[in-house]
């Protein structure tokens, strides 16, 4: 392991895996967290939402304790749809098929975390061209993911036109991804036999056009008093352990793109965009502004870069590696141990696990109608929080 | 006042809805699409056996290239039954996520985006199984969701259909096994994940076409 030391906690707290407490610069022994129980006081009721409801994109049970309009506490149970992925004992390329599908919406982030951990375990030096490919994938993924959060924020507000405009832009980004990588969710991009990507000359024009129309939508939403009022002061949270846009919306300059050595972002001159509001509106502003910086990185790679796919078939041997990358929703950590070309141990720490706790802690004191806005503002994906990896 | 401003902004944006399925898909993805080829190829999900391609097992991993190549053809669905005539006017879908990676869910929701606009074809998502004509089942079998899915299906009024969406829901793919109720599916929408074109066309066919 080049970047991670197994010492006492060094750096900022990222989260937990089955075996470790993960900090930005080190791994420590695991900490146990007590069971979270929801009990209603006299005059209160526990209202269960889900696990299957059309109002949510994925299955999760949400228990809301309330004496009426105000929410006193809220608990999210992501385990109903718990998939059991069996990755231990698989060769790297077979393991990769499952890694891509832990959270398909953020497949590139998982691909990057896994490939960089494998590289850390097996290869003497990082591959700069692979880094460019992974950065390109992840920044396109970030643009789409942030647009998706905006679209989801417009829906409960009943804002039909901006909701459809955001959905249209998100679909255009999916088509752009498909035209470059052959698949709308980047599956199979690093496949040994067909790892071709298509950089045609129209990509820059297309991405410029999407960015211009996104900018008009983003500005219109900021000018809408009703939209701003729904999000301002909703779901306020300020904790040192926040990750991703939630952390940056609370004034923390946390971003694995600048504070993790796993993927090389130095040449893009990225400065994290910070807000101080700590609420759903600040998270919206962070995401919107990050779309601009992601477009700038994408354009610079398409213009000047020489991105290359991974050669997974060339990765052989035994070793232990770790990596941390900035997925659209925050730090994604991967620990990987390989023995004779096979996965011996693999663990992830996902941003949605941290964001679920942040959502729970930011909800008390808010009213019922804030629930959907606040949930969407964290961009949580249950598939990466409720998954067991063996 | 607010609504009128957004309305004008919407008008300025122009019409974005494609004519699909009356016209060809505008920008179909290569993966997944119908694969053509012949010969042996190592397939991680046994989607290729005796030279036959089984779309319900394919995860679009590209390992069979160059023996098999994608055609771009989005007709990766099959139907063993269409909805009774009384459902063919409007069609309400209740989606259940048994154990997905999230991409099938996202592609299903994409049929509501302006490019596809499922509502112009009288296809709607409903928040309750009580109003649903079809149950859309996505993802692999998971213990926690098994009973939830059965209860949702029981709560639906007759006549009702089950649509299995995505390789996980049809065969388990590379992740696990298919949910129990998937054996009752009369429509299979293959792909990992199926594109919005495939989903939309399969649902239109399942409801008995456009009226
Ligand atoms: S693309 Fe489909 S058929 Fe080809 S190897 Fe992969 S799963 Fe098998
Ligand atoms: S079929 Fe593919 S895209 Fe759909 S849930 Fe399964 S792994 Fe994800």
């Amino acid at each position: 392991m080049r970047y991670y030391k197994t010492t006492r906690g060094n750096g900022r707290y990222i989260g937990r895996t089955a075996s470790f407490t993960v900090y930005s610069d080190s791994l420590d022994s695991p900490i146990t967290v007590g069971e979270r129980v929801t009990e209603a006081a006299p005059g209160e009721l526990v209202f269960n939402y889900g696990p299957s409801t059309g109002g949510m994109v994925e299955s999760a049970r949400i228990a809301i304790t309330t004496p009426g309009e105000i929410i006193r506490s809220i608990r999210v149970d992501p385990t109903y749809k718990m998939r059991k992925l069996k990755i231990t004992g698989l060769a790297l390329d077979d393991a990769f098929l499952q890694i891509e599908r832990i959270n398909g919406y953020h497949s590139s982030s998982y691909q990057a975390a896994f490939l960089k951990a494998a590289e850390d375990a097996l290869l003497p030096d990082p591959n700069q061209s692979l880094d460019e490919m992974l950065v390109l994938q992840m920044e396109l993924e970030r643009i789409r993911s942030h647009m998706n959060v905006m679209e989801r924020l417009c829906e409960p507000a009943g804002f039909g036109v901006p909701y459809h405009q955001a959905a249209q832009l998100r679909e255009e980004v999916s088509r752009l991804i498909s035209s470059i990588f052959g698949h709308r969710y980047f599956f199979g991009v690093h496949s040994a036999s067909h790892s071709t990507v298509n950089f045609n000359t129209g990509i820059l024009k297309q991405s410029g056009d999407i960015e211009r129309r996104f900018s008009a939508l983003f500005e219109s939403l900021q000018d809408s008093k009703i939209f701003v009022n729904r999000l301002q002061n909703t779901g306020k949270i300020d904790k040192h352990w926040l990750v991703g846009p939630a952390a940056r919306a609370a004034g923390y300059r946390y971003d694995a793109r600048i504070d993790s050595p796993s993927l090389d972002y130095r040449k893009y001159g990225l400065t994290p965009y910070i807000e101080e509001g700590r609420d759903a509106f600040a998270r919206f502003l962070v995401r919107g502004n990050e779309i601009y910086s992601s477009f700038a990185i994408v354009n610079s790679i398409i213009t000047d870069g020489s991105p290359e796919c991974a050669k997974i078939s060339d990765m052989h041997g035994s070793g232990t590696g770790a990596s941390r990358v900035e997925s659209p929703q925050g730090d994604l950590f991967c620990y990987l141990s390989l023995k004779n070309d096979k996965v011996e141990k693999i663990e992830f720490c996902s941003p949605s696990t941290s964001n679920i706790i942040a959502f729970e802690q930011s909800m008390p004191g808010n009213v019922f109608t804030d629930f959907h806005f606040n949930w969407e503002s964290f961009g949580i994906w249950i598939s990466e929080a409720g998954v067991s990896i063996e | 006042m607010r609504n009128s401003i957004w309305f004008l902004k919407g008008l300025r944006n122009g019409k974005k809805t494609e004519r699909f399925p009356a016209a060809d898909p505008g920008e179909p993805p290569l993966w997944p699409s119908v694969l053509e080829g012949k010969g042996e190829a190592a397939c991680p999900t046994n989607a290729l056996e005796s030279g036959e391609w089984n779309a319900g097992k394919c995860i679009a991993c590209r390992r069979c290239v160059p023996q098999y190549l994608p055609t771009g053809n989005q007709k990766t669905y099959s139907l063993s039954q269409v909805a009774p005539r009384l459902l063919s006017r409007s069609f309400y879908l209740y989606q259940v996520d048994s154990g997905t990676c999230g991409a099938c869910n996202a592609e299903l929701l994409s049929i509501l985006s302006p490019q596809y606009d499922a509502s112009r074809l009288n296809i709607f998502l409903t928040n309750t199984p009580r109003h649903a004509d079809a149950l859309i089942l996505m993802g692999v079998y998971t213990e926690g969701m098994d009973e939830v899915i059965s209860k949702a299906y029981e709560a639906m009024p007759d006549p009702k259909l089950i649509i299995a969406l995505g390789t996980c829901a049809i065969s388990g793919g590379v992740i696990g096994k298919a949910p129990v109720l998937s054996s009752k599916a009369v429509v299979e929408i293959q792909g990992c994940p199926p594109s919005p074109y495939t989903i939309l066309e399969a649902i239109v066919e399942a409801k008995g076409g456009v009226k």
Side-chain angles (χ1 to χ4, degrees):
Chain A
M1 280 200 292
R2 258 191 294 266
Y3 312 124
Y4 268 88
K5 304 280 169 281
T6 41
T7 53
R8 285 200 52 82
N10 245 346
R12 66 182 171 94
Y13 175 80
I14 303 292
R16 290 180 299 133
T17 72
S19 315
F20 305 107
T21 307
V22 183
Y23 294 87
S24 53
D25 306 318
S26 66
L27 303 176
D28 207 339
S29 36
I31 45 170
T32 332
V33 177
E35 201 186 331
R36 296 168 304 148
V37 188
T38 304
E39 267 178 21
E44 292 184 336
L45 66 96
V46 179
F47 171 75
N48 281 316
Y49 188 65
S52 170
T53 161
M56 305 269 294
V57 175
E58 295 178 280
S59 300
R61 163 69 63 92
I62 299 178
I64 304 167
T65 310
T66 173
E69 186 60 10
I70 301 279
I71 291 174
R72 186 174 63 79
S73 78
I74 200 158
R75 289 287 174 262
V76 180
D77 180 354
T79 61
Y80 276 82
K81 60 171 280 192
M82 177 77 84
R83 292 171 299 156
K84 294 185 176 139
L85 308 189
K86 294 190 182 66
I87 299 180
T88 310
L90 294 180
L92 273 177
D93 55 349
D94 287 336
F96 197 68
L97 296 176
Q98 303 207 32
I99 301 298
E100 290 177 313
R101 290 163 176 82
I102 292 174
N103 175 207
Y105 212 75
H106 297 140
S107 168
S108 285
S109 303
Y110 277 86
Q111 292 177 23
F114 180 74
L115 288 170
K116 295 308 285 182
E119 195 183 75
D120 187 30
L122 301 175
L123 302 180
D125 296 306
N127 172 349
Q128 297 291 330
S129 300
L130 172 61
D131 278 13
E132 280 189 354
M133 179 64 82
L134 295 172
V135 169
L136 175 63
Q137 287 181 235
M138 285 179 63
E139 294 313 310
L140 282 165
E141 182 166 274
R142 191 177 323 280
I143 292 167
R144 176 171 59 189
S145 182
H146 285 354
M147 283 180 178
N148 184 53
V149 170
M150 284 190 188
E151 176 189 339
R152 305 280 316 158
L153 284 171
C154 291
E155 196 188 14
F159 273 29
V161 173
Y163 165 71
H164 284 104
Q165 288 183 345
Q168 181 193 330
L169 290 169
R170 181 194 30 87
E171 173 61 20
E172 286 183 29
V173 178
S174 291
R175 292 178 179 197
L176 184 64
I177 291 169
S178 169
S179 75
I180 303 174
F181 297 95
H183 190 282
R184 289 158 62 94
Y185 295 88
F186 304 95
F187 293 174
V189 169
H190 298 276
S191 159
S193 58
H194 194 63
S195 52
T196 48
V197 287
N198 169 26
F199 292 110
N200 61 56
T201 46
I203 293 170
L204 280 178
K205 187 178 169 304
Q206 245 176 303
S207 74
D209 184 44
I210 297 172
E211 184 178 0
R212 184 180 50 75
R213 283 179 296 126
F214 160 74
S215 181
L217 173 62
F218 185 45
E219 277 167 27
S220 298
L221 283 169
Q222 289 173 75
D223 287 345
S224 162
K225 276 209 175 84
I226 294 178
F227 182 75
V228 174
N229 283 344
R230 295 311 304 255
L231 299 182
Q232 262 177 346
N233 296 316
T234 296
K236 276 194 159 185
I237 183 153
D238 177 359
K239 300 279 180 193
H240 67 89
W241 47 260
L242 290 171
V243 297
R248 295 190 284 281
Y252 297 99
R253 206 163 286 276
Y254 297 165
D255 191 325
R257 292 180 291 177
I258 56 158
D259 64 26
S260 163
S262 297
L263 257 184
D264 189 1
Y265 270 86
R266 279 168 304 183
K267 60 182 153 193
Y268 308 114
L270 182 77
T271 310
Y273 181 87
I274 304 296
E275 278 287 330
E276 304 284 344
R278 300 168 288 144
D279 53 15
F281 185 59
R283 295 190 278 279
F284 161 81
L285 289 177
V286 166
R287 283 199 170 82
N289 282 286
E290 287 185 356
I291 287 178
Y292 295 123
S293 53
S294 293
F295 268 120
I297 295 172
V298 166
N299 292 346
S300 115
I301 296 176
I302 288 176
T303 312
D304 299 320
S306 46
E308 265 177 29
C309 291
K311 296 189 175 58
I312 300 177
S313 50
D314 291 352
M315 292 179 165
H316 292 293
S318 306
T320 301
S323 75
R324 181 166 57 86
V325 300
E326 184 72 12
S327 100
Q329 314 307 354
D331 294 82
L332 171 64
F333 170 83
C334 175
Y335 173 90
L336 178 65
S337 160
L338 295 155
K339 195 170 180 191
N340 302 328
D341 303 352
K342 299 259 163 69
V343 175
E344 189 180 45
K345 182 171 174 176
I346 179 160
E347 295 184 1
F348 283 95
C349 172
S350 82
S352 286
T353 309
S354 170
N355 283 324
I356 284 176
I357 299 169
F359 166 74
E360 289 177 342
Q361 295 198 8
S362 68
M363 216 46 227
N366 286 256
V367 294
F368 233 71
T369 43
D370 293 335
F371 166 81
H372 272 292
F373 294 100
N374 198 27
W375 173 261
E376 302 299 352
S377 76
F378 283 97
I380 291 162
W381 282 89
I382 300 296
S383 46
E384 66 173 352
V387 64
S388 114
I389 297 174
E390 294 168 7
Chain B
M1 183 64 183
R2 165 180 70 92
N3 281 336
S4 59
I5 291 169
W6 281 114
F7 177 70
L8 289 175
K9 285 182 197 243
L11 278 186
R12 205 174 306 143
N13 204 21
K15 187 170 174 239
K16 296 295 168 195
T17 306
E18 297 172 6
R19 288 186 54 238
F20 182 83
D24 285 341
E27 296 174 74
L30 262 189
W31 297 93
S33 68
V34 172
L35 293 192
E36 274 179 4
K38 56 177 184 246
E40 295 300 309
C43 172
T45 58
N46 299 323
L48 293 167
E49 280 182 315
S50 317
E52 289 287 310
W53 176 58
N54 181 342
K57 288 185 175 178
C58 183
I59 56 164
C61 73
R62 317 186 198 193
R63 284 198 193 172
C64 53
V65 173
Q67 287 93 330
Y68 290 80
L69 291 170
T71 58
N73 180 347
Q74 300 295 293
K75 289 188 192 296
T76 55
Y77 61 86
S78 59
L79 291 87
S80 56
Q81 190 188 313
V82 296
R85 276 195 71 77
L86 70 146
L87 295 184
S88 59
R89 226 163 241 288
S90 57
F91 202 49
Y92 283 84
L93 311 165
Y94 182 70
Q95 88 247 37
V96 192
D97 167 3
S98 174
T100 69
C101 73
C104 275
N105 319 46
E107 292 302 63
L108 175 62
L109 293 179
S110 292
I111 68 172
L112 306 178
S113 68
Q115 288 89 340
Y116 307 96
D117 187 15
S119 63
R120 86 199 137 102
L121 302 163
N122 293 328
I123 295 166
F124 307 97
L125 297 182
T126 167
N127 283 351
T128 161
R130 299 243 179 247
H131 299 158
D133 304 309
L135 182 84
I136 299 235
L137 197 50
M138 300 178 287
V140 290
Y141 167 86
T142 53
E143 223 174 294
M145 287 304 292
D146 189 40
E147 196 188 335
V148 178
I149 294 168
S150 303
K151 287 209 166 134
Y153 184 62
E154 277 166 28
M156 288 168 62
D158 285 320
K160 52 192 175 185
L161 299 180
I162 297 180
I163 299 174
L165 188 154
T167 303
C168 283
I170 297 167
S171 65
V174 76
I175 299 295
K177 57 180 185 176
V180 175
L181 220 57
S182 136
S183 60
K184 287 194 183 168
V186 295
V187 182
E188 290 186 354
I189 309 180
Q190 300 122 4
C192 181
S195 78
Y197 288 118
T198 309
I199 297 172
L200 192 59
E201 187 168 340
I203 294 171
V204 168
E205 295 266 326
K207 84 191 247 301
V210 186
K211 289 279 175 295

